[in-house]
Amino acid sequence: MIIVESLEQAREALSSKEKTMICFMARWCPPCRMINLSFEQFEEENPDAKIYKIDVNEYRDLAKELEAVSVPVTLFVNNGHIVSTHKGFLEAAELTKIYNKNIE
């Protein structure tokens, strides 16, 4: 998982031509900590997948712009377009299902 460290990096992830997942999270959020485990498991099974983690407290304007105000929020990006958005916790199997449906 790639931790976003600049607004430029976040914008690059959003416009990526690669299949990408972007998760808006917060350190204080228990479901966000739980979804980290799901992403780790997903990564083990899908090592080529690009996954970015964005802290909503550091990038509030971007989170608001993308309507990621309650966390966690996962965006599925393909060919530079957001093709699906999911709010709330996801198990690894659910991540895989949504990823395959919207990105493959």
Side-chain angles (χ1 to χ4, degrees):
M1 187 177 303
I2 301 164
I3 298 172
V4 171
E5 297 180 359
S6 71
L7 185 57
E8 180 181 336
Q9 186 183 23
R11 295 271 183 216
E12 286 173 10
L14 285 162
S15 62
S16 176
K17 298 297 180 193
E18 297 180 65
K19 301 165 187 167
T20 304
M21 284 190 287
I22 301 169
C23 189
F24 283 87
M25 307 174 152
R27 289 184 202 115
W28 49 263
C29 166
C32 297
R33 290 192 293 269
M34 290 170 43
I35 202 170
N36 265 334
L37 299 174
S38 297
F39 278 113
E40 288 172 11
Q41 185 178 348
F42 177 86
E43 273 185 314
E44 286 177 16
E45 298 167 4
N46 302 277
D48 295 332
K50 292 275 190 186
I51 303 171
Y52 291 85
K53 182 165 100 170
I54 300 176
D55 188 322
V56 294
N57 294 314
E58 293 181 35
Y59 300 98
R60 289 177 196 259
D61 290 341
L62 180 62
K64 191 181 293 184
E65 175 186 329
L66 296 170
E67 299 178 12
V69 291
S70 60
V71 289
V73 172
T74 305
L75 307 177
F76 296 82
V77 177
N78 193 9
N79 229 5
H81 301 284
I82 298 170
V83 294
S84 184
T85 301
H86 187 277
K87 296 178 182 180
F89 172 75
L90 290 165
E91 295 281 348
E94 293 173 293
L95 281 171
T96 300
K97 182 179 177 182
I98 297 170
Y99 181 85
N100 289 337
K101 178 182 176 190
N102 291 292
I103 295 186
E104 286 298 331

